[in-house]
Amino acid sequence: DTGVSQNPRHKITKRGQNVTFRCDPISEHNRLYWYRQTLGQGPEFLTYFQNEAQLEKSRLLSDRFSAERPKGSFSTLEIQRTEQGDSAMYLCASSHPLAAGKYNEQFFGPGTRLTVL
Amino acid sequence: GQSLEQPSEVTAVEGAIVQINCTYQTSGFYGLSWYQQHDGGAPTFLSYNALDGLEETGRFSSFLSRSDSYGYLLLQELQMKDSASYFCAVYSMGVGGSYIPTFGRGTSLIVHP
């Protein structure tokens, strides 16, 4: 499978715990996005990487959220001191450098569903 | 900030044509995308418009009018498998100088036999 992969697919945690999610983009894609989606809503942009550089971060994003893409390949999203309001589907997407400005197609992974008890 | 409006639900019968509208307010508009998402699935790309006019891809077409801050997705020859949520997403410049998408709340399309 050469699509975007995300692990784990499901995560249940207790309030106050830290969680980390991983995203492996399509290999030649240098652009990587993280989104959060709740039921009945569209994906909400969280952060954007071009190669290893984090170029954009949502102004609405709490400082409990941090993301990395250390070698410009896979990325991790960490949530510290989780709250019940963090329960959502966390989606990762990647795009090819040639797509930028032309058709901007993003390929989404299956997501990690987080439940905070 | 950005705001997008699209109908929450549209219903149609197999074989029909349906149009899903999207109006937006944003500064620094760059382009508009459409994505399809089936229940339990990931969003999949349908189309992207940066310039005014109609883009056609098979049974799906997308239109953009930048002066009216308006776009639509047109689905022809509807099939049962088209039942899904459809999201418009507007690209605008983020604080870091990159173009990032803001998604609408989605339109649930229900296709009846």
Side-chain angles (χ1 to χ4, degrees), chain B residues 35-58:
Chain B
Y35 283 80
Q36 177 192 62
Q37 186 176 31
H38 287 97
D39 281 349
T44 56
F45 175 84
L46 294 177
S47 69
Y48 174 73
N49 296 69
L51 303 175
D52 286 358
L54 191 69
E55 296 281 344
E56 297 180 76
T57 308

PDB file of all heavy atoms in Angstrom, chain B residues 35-58:
ATOM      1  N   TYR B  35     -13.841  17.998  -1.738  1.00  0.00           N
ATOM      2  CA  TYR B  35     -13.482  16.664  -1.271  1.00  0.00           C
ATOM      3  C   TYR B  35     -14.748  15.876  -0.986  1.00  0.00           C
ATOM      4  O   TYR B  35     -15.767  16.433  -0.566  1.00  0.00           O
ATOM      5  CB  TYR B  35     -12.624  16.731  -0.002  1.00  0.00           C
ATOM      6  CG  TYR B  35     -11.192  17.105  -0.265  1.00  0.00           C
ATOM      7  CD1 TYR B  35     -10.811  18.432  -0.466  1.00  0.00           C
ATOM      8  CD2 TYR B  35     -10.204  16.121  -0.342  1.00  0.00           C
ATOM      9  CE1 TYR B  35      -9.494  18.758  -0.730  1.00  0.00           C
ATOM     10  CE2 TYR B  35      -8.878  16.441  -0.598  1.00  0.00           C
ATOM     11  CZ  TYR B  35      -8.538  17.763  -0.792  1.00  0.00           C
ATOM     12  OH  TYR B  35      -7.221  18.083  -1.056  1.00  0.00           O
ATOM     13  N   GLN B  36     -14.650  14.568  -1.193  1.00  0.00           N
ATOM     14  CA  GLN B  36     -15.733  13.638  -0.881  1.00  0.00           C
ATOM     15  C   GLN B  36     -15.302  12.784   0.294  1.00  0.00           C
ATOM     16  O   GLN B  36     -14.139  12.372   0.377  1.00  0.00           O
ATOM     17  CB  GLN B  36     -15.997  12.744  -2.097  1.00  0.00           C
ATOM     18  CG  GLN B  36     -17.066  11.682  -1.884  1.00  0.00           C
ATOM     19  CD  GLN B  36     -17.060  10.650  -3.013  1.00  0.00           C
ATOM     20  OE1 GLN B  36     -16.097   9.949  -3.232  1.00  0.00           O
ATOM     21  NE2 GLN B  36     -18.172  10.567  -3.745  1.00  0.00           N
ATOM     22  N   GLN B  37     -16.232  12.525   1.209  1.00  0.00           N
ATOM     23  CA  GLN B  37     -15.918  11.659   2.344  1.00  0.00           C
ATOM     24  C   GLN B  37     -17.104  10.736   2.627  1.00  0.00           C
ATOM     25  O   GLN B  37     -18.185  11.203   2.971  1.00  0.00           O
ATOM     26  CB  GLN B  37     -15.583  12.476   3.590  1.00  0.00           C
ATOM     27  CG  GLN B  37     -15.098  11.637   4.768  1.00  0.00           C
ATOM     28  CD  GLN B  37     -14.668  12.485   5.963  1.00  0.00           C
ATOM     29  OE1 GLN B  37     -15.204  13.574   6.186  1.00  0.00           O
ATOM     30  NE2 GLN B  37     -13.700  12.003   6.721  1.00  0.00           N
ATOM     31  N   HIS B  38     -16.870   9.435   2.478  1.00  0.00           N
ATOM     32  CA  HIS B  38     -17.879   8.453   2.865  1.00  0.00           C
ATOM     33  C   HIS B  38     -17.793   8.215   4.367  1.00  0.00           C
ATOM     34  O   HIS B  38     -16.744   8.429   4.987  1.00  0.00           O
ATOM     35  CB  HIS B  38     -17.676   7.139   2.115  1.00  0.00           C
ATOM     36  CG  HIS B  38     -18.063   7.213   0.671  1.00  0.00           C
ATOM     37  ND1 HIS B  38     -17.158   7.438  -0.348  1.00  0.00           N
ATOM     38  CD2 HIS B  38     -19.280   7.102   0.072  1.00  0.00           C
ATOM     39  CE1 HIS B  38     -17.788   7.457  -1.498  1.00  0.00           C
ATOM     40  NE2 HIS B  38     -19.077   7.256  -1.285  1.00  0.00           N
ATOM     41  N   ASP B  39     -18.917   7.782   4.954  1.00  0.00           N
ATOM     42  CA  ASP B  39     -18.947   7.502   6.383  1.00  0.00           C
ATOM     43  C   ASP B  39     -17.821   6.553   6.771  1.00  0.00           C
ATOM     44  O   ASP B  39     -17.670   5.476   6.192  1.00  0.00           O
ATOM     45  CB  ASP B  39     -20.291   6.873   6.771  1.00  0.00           C
ATOM     46  CG  ASP B  39     -21.383   7.911   6.903  1.00  0.00           C
ATOM     47  OD1 ASP B  39     -21.061   9.103   6.909  1.00  0.00           O
ATOM     48  OD2 ASP B  39     -22.565   7.514   7.000  1.00  0.00           O
ATOM     49  N   GLY B  40     -17.037   6.968   7.757  1.00  0.00           N
ATOM     50  CA  GLY B  40     -15.950   6.130   8.236  1.00  0.00           C
ATOM     51  C   GLY B  40     -14.712   6.156   7.372  1.00  0.00           C
ATOM     52  O   GLY B  40     -13.724   5.478   7.679  1.00  0.00           O
ATOM     53  N   GLY B  41     -14.752   6.922   6.291  1.00  0.00           N
ATOM     54  CA  GLY B  41     -13.608   6.963   5.381  1.00  0.00           C
ATOM     55  C   GLY B  41     -12.846   8.267   5.468  1.00  0.00           C
ATOM     56  O   GLY B  41     -13.227   9.196   6.189  1.00  0.00           O
ATOM     57  N   ALA B  42     -11.769   8.340   4.736  1.00  0.00           N
ATOM     58  CA  ALA B  42     -10.959   9.556   4.664  1.00  0.00           C
ATOM     59  C   ALA B  42     -11.455  10.441   3.520  1.00  0.00           C
ATOM     60  O   ALA B  42     -12.011   9.941   2.537  1.00  0.00           O
ATOM     61  CB  ALA B  42      -9.491   9.188   4.447  1.00  0.00           C
ATOM     62  N   PRO B  43     -11.262  11.738   3.617  1.00  0.00           N
ATOM     63  CA  PRO B  43     -11.615  12.614   2.492  1.00  0.00           C
ATOM     64  C   PRO B  43     -10.788  12.275   1.256  1.00  0.00           C
ATOM     65  O   PRO B  43      -9.598  11.965   1.359  1.00  0.00           O
ATOM     66  CB  PRO B  43     -11.264  14.013   3.009  1.00  0.00           C
ATOM     67  CG  PRO B  43     -11.252  13.896   4.491  1.00  0.00           C
ATOM     68  CD  PRO B  43     -10.765  12.516   4.778  1.00  0.00           C
ATOM     69  N   THR B  44     -11.421  12.336   0.092  1.00  0.00           N
ATOM     70  CA  THR B  44     -10.709  12.128  -1.163  1.00  0.00           C
ATOM     71  C   THR B  44     -10.938  13.335  -2.068  1.00  0.00           C
ATOM     72  O   THR B  44     -12.037  13.888  -2.125  1.00  0.00           O
ATOM     73  CB  THR B  44     -11.153  10.841  -1.886  1.00  0.00           C
ATOM     74  OG1 THR B  44     -12.567  10.895  -2.093  1.00  0.00           O
ATOM     75  CG2 THR B  44     -10.814   9.619  -1.074  1.00  0.00           C
ATOM     76  N   PHE B  45      -9.896  13.715  -2.761  1.00  0.00           N
ATOM     77  CA  PHE B  45      -9.888  14.911  -3.596  1.00  0.00           C
ATOM     78  C   PHE B  45     -10.779  14.718  -4.810  1.00  0.00           C
ATOM     79  O   PHE B  45     -10.768  13.671  -5.462  1.00  0.00           O
ATOM     80  CB  PHE B  45      -8.446  15.179  -4.029  1.00  0.00           C
ATOM     81  CG  PHE B  45      -8.284  16.308  -5.003  1.00  0.00           C
ATOM     82  CD1 PHE B  45      -8.195  17.614  -4.569  1.00  0.00           C
ATOM     83  CD2 PHE B  45      -8.193  16.047  -6.365  1.00  0.00           C
ATOM     84  CE1 PHE B  45      -8.022  18.656  -5.468  1.00  0.00           C
ATOM     85  CE2 PHE B  45      -8.019  17.074  -7.274  1.00  0.00           C
ATOM     86  CZ  PHE B  45      -7.932  18.382  -6.823  1.00  0.00           C
ATOM     87  N   LEU B  46     -11.564  15.766  -5.119  1.00  0.00           N
ATOM     88  CA  LEU B  46     -12.389  15.744  -6.323  1.00  0.00           C
ATOM     89  C   LEU B  46     -11.929  16.768  -7.352  1.00  0.00           C
ATOM     90  O   LEU B  46     -11.803  16.456  -8.538  1.00  0.00           O
ATOM     91  CB  LEU B  46     -13.859  16.023  -5.966  1.00  0.00           C
ATOM     92  CG  LEU B  46     -14.583  14.977  -5.118  1.00  0.00           C
ATOM     93  CD1 LEU B  46     -15.985  15.446  -4.795  1.00  0.00           C
ATOM     94  CD2 LEU B  46     -14.618  13.639  -5.834  1.00  0.00           C
ATOM     95  N   SER B  47     -11.699  18.022  -6.913  1.00  0.00           N
ATOM     96  CA  SER B  47     -11.378  19.068  -7.875  1.00  0.00           C
ATOM     97  C   SER B  47     -10.769  20.271  -7.187  1.00  0.00           C
ATOM     98  O   SER B  47     -10.825  20.403  -5.957  1.00  0.00           O
ATOM     99  CB  SER B  47     -12.646  19.514  -8.616  1.00  0.00           C
ATOM    100  OG  SER B  47     -13.508  20.192  -7.722  1.00  0.00           O
ATOM    101  N   TYR B  48     -10.187  21.137  -8.016  1.00  0.00           N
ATOM    102  CA  TYR B  48      -9.587  22.374  -7.523  1.00  0.00           C
ATOM    103  C   TYR B  48      -9.779  23.453  -8.578  1.00  0.00           C
ATOM    104  O   TYR B  48      -9.522  23.223  -9.763  1.00  0.00           O
ATOM    105  CB  TYR B  48      -8.095  22.177  -7.242  1.00  0.00           C
ATOM    106  CG  TYR B  48      -7.361  23.435  -6.856  1.00  0.00           C
ATOM    107  CD1 TYR B  48      -7.547  24.004  -5.598  1.00  0.00           C
ATOM    108  CD2 TYR B  48      -6.478  24.045  -7.742  1.00  0.00           C
ATOM    109  CE1 TYR B  48      -6.872  25.154  -5.232  1.00  0.00           C
ATOM    110  CE2 TYR B  48      -5.793  25.192  -7.384  1.00  0.00           C
ATOM    111  CZ  TYR B  48      -5.988  25.742  -6.126  1.00  0.00           C
ATOM    112  OH  TYR B  48      -5.313  26.880  -5.755  1.00  0.00           O
ATOM    113  N   ASN B  49     -10.252  24.626  -8.139  1.00  0.00           N
ATOM    114  CA  ASN B  49     -10.404  25.783  -9.032  1.00  0.00           C
ATOM    115  C   ASN B  49      -9.623  26.951  -8.462  1.00  0.00           C
ATOM    116  O   ASN B  49      -9.823  27.330  -7.309  1.00  0.00           O
ATOM    117  CB  ASN B  49     -11.875  26.196  -9.144  1.00  0.00           C
ATOM    118  CG  ASN B  49     -12.754  25.147  -9.780  1.00  0.00           C
ATOM    119  OD1 ASN B  49     -12.996  24.083  -9.200  1.00  0.00           O
ATOM    120  ND2 ASN B  49     -13.241  25.440 -10.976  1.00  0.00           N
ATOM    121  N   ALA B  50      -8.734  27.492  -9.279  1.00  0.00           N
ATOM    122  CA  ALA B  50      -8.033  28.714  -8.890  1.00  0.00           C
ATOM    123  C   ALA B  50      -8.537  29.907  -9.713  1.00  0.00           C
ATOM    124  O   ALA B  50      -8.489  31.043  -9.254  1.00  0.00           O
ATOM    125  CB  ALA B  50      -6.526  28.559  -9.073  1.00  0.00           C
ATOM    126  N   LEU B  51      -9.010  29.621 -10.916  1.00  0.00           N
ATOM    127  CA  LEU B  51      -9.502  30.662 -11.821  1.00  0.00           C
ATOM    128  C   LEU B  51     -10.995  30.500 -12.035  1.00  0.00           C
ATOM    129  O   LEU B  51     -11.553  29.414 -11.857  1.00  0.00           O
ATOM    130  CB  LEU B  51      -8.770  30.585 -13.156  1.00  0.00           C
ATOM    131  CG  LEU B  51      -7.246  30.703 -13.093  1.00  0.00           C
ATOM    132  CD1 LEU B  51      -6.649  30.495 -14.477  1.00  0.00           C
ATOM    133  CD2 LEU B  51      -6.827  32.039 -12.498  1.00  0.00           C
ATOM    134  N   ASP B  52     -11.635  31.597 -12.460  1.00  0.00           N
ATOM    135  CA  ASP B  52     -13.065  31.550 -12.751  1.00  0.00           C
ATOM    136  C   ASP B  52     -13.345  30.532 -13.850  1.00  0.00           C
ATOM    137  O   ASP B  52     -12.558  30.380 -14.786  1.00  0.00           O
ATOM    138  CB  ASP B  52     -13.557  32.925 -13.209  1.00  0.00           C
ATOM    139  CG  ASP B  52     -13.646  33.914 -12.071  1.00  0.00           C
ATOM    140  OD1 ASP B  52     -13.372  33.530 -10.924  1.00  0.00           O
ATOM    141  OD2 ASP B  52     -13.996  35.081 -12.332  1.00  0.00           O
ATOM    142  N   GLY B  53     -14.474  29.863 -13.724  1.00  0.00           N
ATOM    143  CA  GLY B  53     -14.893  28.968 -14.785  1.00  0.00           C
ATOM    144  C   GLY B  53     -15.189  27.580 -14.287  1.00  0.00           C
ATOM    145  O   GLY B  53     -15.224  27.320 -13.083  1.00  0.00           O
ATOM    146  N   LEU B  54     -15.417  26.717 -15.246  1.00  0.00           N
ATOM    147  CA  LEU B  54     -15.849  25.350 -14.968  1.00  0.00           C
ATOM    148  C   LEU B  54     -14.718  24.369 -15.241  1.00  0.00           C
ATOM    149  O   LEU B  54     -14.060  24.448 -16.274  1.00  0.00           O
ATOM    150  CB  LEU B  54     -17.053  25.038 -15.877  1.00  0.00           C
ATOM    151  CG  LEU B  54     -17.840  23.764 -15.604  1.00  0.00           C
ATOM    152  CD1 LEU B  54     -18.596  23.881 -14.286  1.00  0.00           C
ATOM    153  CD2 LEU B  54     -18.812  23.489 -16.752  1.00  0.00           C
ATOM    154  N   GLU B  55     -14.499  23.454 -14.305  1.00  0.00           N
ATOM    155  CA  GLU B  55     -13.555  22.360 -14.476  1.00  0.00           C
ATOM    156  C   GLU B  55     -14.354  21.067 -14.495  1.00  0.00           C
ATOM    157  O   GLU B  55     -15.159  20.836 -13.611  1.00  0.00           O
ATOM    158  CB  GLU B  55     -12.545  22.320 -13.316  1.00  0.00           C
ATOM    159  CG  GLU B  55     -11.632  23.522 -13.210  1.00  0.00           C
ATOM    160  CD  GLU B  55     -10.492  23.456 -14.194  1.00  0.00           C
ATOM    161  OE1 GLU B  55     -10.235  22.367 -14.740  1.00  0.00           O
ATOM    162  OE2 GLU B  55      -9.860  24.508 -14.421  1.00  0.00           O
ATOM    163  N   GLU B  56     -14.136  20.235 -15.508  1.00  0.00           N
ATOM    164  CA  GLU B  56     -14.915  19.007 -15.626  1.00  0.00           C
ATOM    165  C   GLU B  56     -14.015  17.794 -15.498  1.00  0.00           C
ATOM    166  O   GLU B  56     -12.959  17.723 -16.139  1.00  0.00           O
ATOM    167  CB  GLU B  56     -15.638  18.975 -16.981  1.00  0.00           C
ATOM    168  CG  GLU B  56     -16.637  20.106 -17.142  1.00  0.00           C
ATOM    169  CD  GLU B  56     -17.357  20.069 -18.482  1.00  0.00           C
ATOM    170  OE1 GLU B  56     -18.251  19.238 -18.657  1.00  0.00           O
ATOM    171  OE2 GLU B  56     -17.011  20.889 -19.355  1.00  0.00           O
ATOM    172  N   THR B  57     -14.463  16.854 -14.671  1.00  0.00           N
ATOM    173  CA  THR B  57     -13.741  15.588 -14.495  1.00  0.00           C
ATOM    174  C   THR B  57     -14.767  14.478 -14.436  1.00  0.00           C
ATOM    175  O   THR B  57     -15.349  14.191 -13.379  1.00  0.00           O
ATOM    176  CB  THR B  57     -12.911  15.589 -13.195  1.00  0.00           C
ATOM    177  OG1 THR B  57     -12.098  16.744 -13.141  1.00  0.00           O
ATOM    178  CG2 THR B  57     -12.022  14.349 -13.141  1.00  0.00           C
ATOM    179  N   GLY B  58     -15.020  13.879 -15.581  1.00  0.00           N
ATOM    180  CA  GLY B  58     -15.986  12.789 -15.620  1.00  0.00           C
ATOM    181  C   GLY B  58     -17.383  13.271 -15.275  1.00  0.00           C
ATOM    182  O   GLY B  58     -17.862  14.269 -15.819  1.00  0.00           O
TER     183      GLY B  58
END
